[in-house]
Structures are given as structure tokens and as C-alpha cells.
Amino acid sequence: MTDQAMAPGTPAEAPRIGVLISGRGSNLQALIDAIARGQLKARIAVVISNRPAAGGLARAEAAGIETLVLDHRAFASRDAFDRAVAMALLERRVSLVCLAGFMRLVGTPLLDAFPNAILNIHPSLLPAFPGVDAQGQALEHGVCFSGATVHLVTRDLDAGPIVRQAVVPVEPGDTVETLSARILVEEHRLYPLAVQTVLDGGWSVTGRRFVPAHQRPGTSR
Ligand code: GRF
């Protein structure tokens, strides 16, 4: 296996992240590309898919990243699947987990193994339109703006502290496809930025809020 493409000067001890996918993996690709151009100072230690046919697996392989399929249907319970995922990530010394189109609820074993260290990207301006078909929900409600949100994963679906958001307009005549495509462009820009913010540290969580390093008391902009 070739070594993962990394920008010149990226230290070998760059933080190790694990990416969980279920599908095409375009956000995974955005992370791979951001690392390759030196924007994101990290190394993807493993890409794990719960679906053997996920297109994102080929993207990881093409970048020389280890892949692992853990098919949730092969596990006796949700917790057993979560434990296996957590174990695989811990074995590879991952410090941050990025969900990128991972279509499984994250349960206690995984949350406990990575406290405040699991990120998700969602195609709406949370807390509006959590869950599936966020773009369809936005159209149904007739909102003028939607977007993308990167948040810390907690027990509650799509409800964790918001790390970063991007806004897109909803245009007259939009369909789920056209709105999704417009949001996806922003997702690909947003996710690497949010991952770097979290890796940089210095932030805290206060109640529901993610407080970035520069907004903490005693720090100046
Ligand atoms: C993205 O829209 C992401 O926000 C959502 O699932 C989709 C995954 O797309 N959670 P991809 O697999 O990264 O292309």
C-alpha cells in the first residue's frame, strides 16, 4: 500500500483521525484533498464503512489509506457494532473521529470511547431539519436559506455543539437535487476547516455551545 498523500512538511506525528462512511464519500475526499494540500494538518489513519459497497472505500484506497468494512448486519446488537468500531479506531490511535455520510446512530460505546471527539457534518443549518432528508425538509418549509453544519456528536441526533456553519440561499425552483448540490459545495469547504479548528484545541463546551479558543474568557482576538 502506498503512503497517504500528505503535503510536504506535514509532520509524521500529525493527529490521527478516523473517518466513518456509508456511501459515496465526497466529504471524505474533501478531507483527503485538504490534507494533501497542507490545509488540514492531520493524517487519516483509517476509513471505516458499515456498507461493503460504499463508494468512499475506493477513494480511500486510491489515497493509500487503510480501509475497514464493519458491516453492522454482522453484529448481534447495536452496542456490539459500536464496540467493534471503537476498538478499531483505538487500535489505530485515532484521536478524532469524523462522520462523513455515516448512516448509523452513534451509541454509548463509541461516544464513551471518544468523548467530545466525534464530529459530524449535516446538510442543514442545525438545529433546523435534523435527521434524514434535511434538504427536502428545508424545501418543504420554504426557508430562504439553508446550509451545512459541523457539530460534535452527542447522544441526541444532530443536536451536539455547533463547531461551524455555512449558509447557502434557497433559489426559486430548487429541487432536492439542486439544493443538495449547492450545499455540498459548502460542505466540502467547511469540513476541513472545522476539523482543523477542533484539532487546534483550546476550545471548550459550555452547555450546548462550542466555545472556540478565541472566544474564551481571557483570550484576545
Ligand atoms: C452529506 O450531505 C452529509 O452532510 C450527510 O450525508 C452526505 C454524505 O455525502 N451527512 P458524502 O458521502 O460525503 O458524499
Side-chain angles (χ1 to χ4, degrees), residues 23-28 100-101 121-123 135 184 187:
R24 70 189 162 183
S26 71
N27 279 289
L28 162 67
I121 186 156
H122 183 78
Q135 300 93 335
L184 199 59
E187 291 187 43

Side-chain angles (χ1 to χ4, degrees), residues 94 115 161 198 210:
V94 160
V198 170
F210 177 93

Side-chain angles (χ1 to χ4, degrees), residues 10-35:
T10 303
E13 66 277 13
R16 296 167 69 82
I17 63 180
V19 183
L20 307 191
I21 63 169
S22 300
R24 70 189 162 183
S26 71
N27 279 289
L28 162 67
Q29 189 69 56
L31 296 176
I32 292 170
D33 293 346
I35 290 170

Side-chain angles (χ1 to χ4, degrees), residues 11-72:
E13 66 277 13
R16 296 167 69 82
I17 63 180
V19 183
L20 307 191
I21 63 169
S22 300
R24 70 189 162 183
S26 71
N27 279 289
L28 162 67
Q29 189 69 56
L31 296 176
I32 292 170
D33 293 346
I35 290 170
R37 63 175 179 265
Q39 181 200 354
L40 174 57
K41 310 273 188 258
R43 167 179 289 267
I44 301 177
V46 66
V47 171
I48 302 176
S49 174
N50 69 308
R51 293 206 179 125
L57 290 167
R59 297 178 188 267
E61 281 158 17
I65 300 169
E66 184 192 359
T67 59
L68 190 58
V69 173
L70 293 174
D71 188 335
H72 60 279

